[in-house]
Amino acid sequence: LYQGLRSHFFLPECDSESARHTLADVLKQYRLEPTSFAPLKTVSSGKEEVVCNAVLPLPDGGTVGIDYTFYWQGSTASMRYSVTPHASPAAPATPTPPTR
């Protein structure tokens, strides 16, 4: 009961279970499935807005950066976000032997 009431009076914390589920749904839209949802960092936190960011690992060795903010839209908690996928590090180039 407390959790149900809490969501009507407080914005989610960056690393809450609610935030993790919301992030998973957002990243699925981009066909991104991180291997973990950590670390989730709080940039700032207040009554009207909670600003968060994360750089999450992907299965191919790359990462996805996501900046997300929880805010009130009327009496409903909403989220805006920005997603930036980063490619996996390139394999080192193999030197080509000189031709004669």
Side-chain angles (χ1 to χ4, degrees):
L1 180 64
Y2 172 73
Q3 287 299 334
L5 290 175
R6 187 180 196 311
S7 66
H8 291 287
F9 298 106
F10 299 98
L11 291 168
E13 295 176 14
C14 295
D15 61 351
S16 67
E17 194 64 31
S18 171
R20 292 173 196 270
H21 285 294
T22 303
L23 287 175
D25 290 343
V26 165
L27 294 173
K28 281 181 187 176
Q29 295 174 20
Y30 293 93
R31 293 186 174 94
L32 297 169
E33 294 188 34
T35 57
S36 73
F37 282 88
L40 303 175
K41 297 179 185 175
T42 302
V43 176
S44 67
S45 180
K47 284 184 170 183
E48 299 299 318
E49 184 176 80
V50 176
V51 180
C52 316
N53 74 13
V55 177
L56 306 175
L58 296 172
D60 67 357
T63 58
V64 59
I66 183 164
D67 295 309
Y68 55 106
T69 302
F70 295 106
Y71 64 97
W72 292 110
Q73 188 167 359
S75 61
T76 305
S78 294
M79 185 177 93
R80 63 179 165 259
Y81 58 88
S82 168
V83 176
T84 309
H86 303 278
S88 61
T94 305
T96 315
T99 55
R100 296 181 188 203

